[in-house]
Amino acid sequence: TPKRFGTMLSLCYLASGAEDIYIQNCAKDHDYVPPALIAEEAGALVTDIDGNPWKPGKREIICANSILHKKVMEIIHS
């Protein structure tokens, strides 16, 4: 995804099925909140790096469908 579109476009692609996984650790709340809601409404799991539901104030975010999200978490924590 081009840098100028950042989080918003990437998570909208994820919500539409054009991308499978989104992981980020350097955006601000205003970058995450709207697209995270769109991704959740489309069925994605949106969590922090520990697998807890993502909340404003957290810098890291992991979004994916339930199957891929589980595999990503296994890789991160192995």
Side-chain angles (χ1 to χ4, degrees):
T1 306
K3 180 73 172 160
R4 67 180 184 266
F5 295 118
T7 305
M8 181 62 77
L9 188 56
S10 293
L11 283 173
C12 288
Y13 281 156
L14 184 130
S16 74
E19 288 187 10
D20 296 323
I21 300 168
Y22 181 80
I23 301 172
Q24 181 66 268
N25 71 345
C26 63
K28 304 213 184 286
D29 287 349
H30 64 271
D31 295 319
Y32 288 153
V33 173
L37 177 61
I38 292 168
E40 281 184 327
E41 290 293 318
L45 290 177
V46 181
T47 69
D48 63 17
I49 199 160
D50 296 319
N52 301 313
W54 180 84
K55 295 179 186 174
K58 290 286 197 172
R59 289 185 52 115
E60 66 276 337
I61 191 168
I62 300 172
C63 303
N65 68 44
S66 59
I67 295 168
L68 290 176
H69 191 280
K70 181 179 178 184
K71 291 180 183 195
V72 168
M73 295 304 288
E74 288 172 0
I75 292 168
I76 288 172
H77 295 289
S78 64

